[in-house]
Amino acid sequence: MPTPSDSPKPLPLLHSMELDVNIFDTDCYGVMWHGAYTKWLEMGRVKLLEAQGYAFPKPGDPEGYVFPVVEQTLKYKRSAPYGDKLVLSTRLAVEGYKLLFLQNFRSQNTDQVTVEAVTTVVVVDAQWRVQRRLPEALKVIMGLSPGIA
């Protein structure tokens, strides 16, 4: 299982987004609840691919691909209190036919990383068949040479 420190080298793609630690994302101690991070991680992955020109398919689209999560590792480093402003940075690495999203949350108030995450996804087609080779359209979006992965 890859951890944030031993993941493959990321591609030169980067997406950053800001978010506020809202009251509905916090626990009874007033800090970001551990489970709330996963929705933001998903948003970061989607926004990175959209920023590269990938248009996510509508359900049932026979030409589209879906990216189910097969593994996710989070390392909680510091708490993020209610009212904090975080920056989520998302990078992408390729490991065979799997995509690894390397992400971290950094507090704008303290400039410290609060969470590091690695999310592994596979690419499946509309019939839910795992693609053992990355589709050419995704390679182009990622800036990979033909024949890689």
Side-chain angles (χ1 to χ4, degrees), residues 8-96:
K9 184 177 185 224
L11 300 173
L13 308 177
L14 171 67
H15 182 271
S16 295
M17 58 187 274
E18 296 180 3
L19 63 111
D20 296 323
V21 178
N22 293 297
I23 193 70
F24 50 80
D25 288 323
T26 62
D27 62 16
C28 62
Y29 300 104
V31 297
M32 185 111 150
W33 173 61
H34 70 278
Y37 285 98
T38 57
K39 74 177 178 185
W40 294 107
L41 292 169
E42 177 81 10
M43 288 177 66
R45 295 191 303 273
V46 168
K47 295 298 183 187
L48 173 73
L49 292 175
E50 286 178 342
Q52 300 307 311
Y54 183 75
F56 280 86
K58 292 184 170 47
D61 182 349
E63 300 300 316
Y65 295 102
V66 181
F67 305 93
V69 172
V70 295
E71 186 173 0
Q72 190 168 54
T73 304
L74 283 79
K75 184 174 181 180
Y76 300 94
K77 300 179 73 76
R78 291 181 173 66
S79 61
Y82 166 66
D84 201 353
K85 299 208 179 289
L86 302 177
V87 174
L88 169 59
S89 297
T90 303
R91 291 190 174 281
L92 178 62
V94 176
E95 189 175 79

Side-chain angles (χ1 to χ4, degrees), residues 4 37 75-80 84 86-87 89 103-108 110-117:
Y37 285 98
K75 184 174 181 180
Y76 300 94
K77 300 179 73 76
R78 291 181 173 66
S79 61
D84 201 353
L86 302 177
V87 174
S89 297
Q103 298 173 280
N104 71 56
F105 291 86
R106 182 176 294 278
S107 169
Q108 288 184 335
T110 66
D111 197 36
Q112 294 182 326
V113 172
T114 61
V115 171
E116 294 176 339

Side-chain angles (χ1 to χ4, degrees), residues 8-9 11 92-100 134 142 144 149:
K9 184 177 185 224
L11 300 173
L92 178 62
V94 176
E95 189 175 79
Y97 63 92
K98 297 176 183 177
L99 304 179
L100 280 69
L134 291 179
M142 295 175 207
L144 295 173

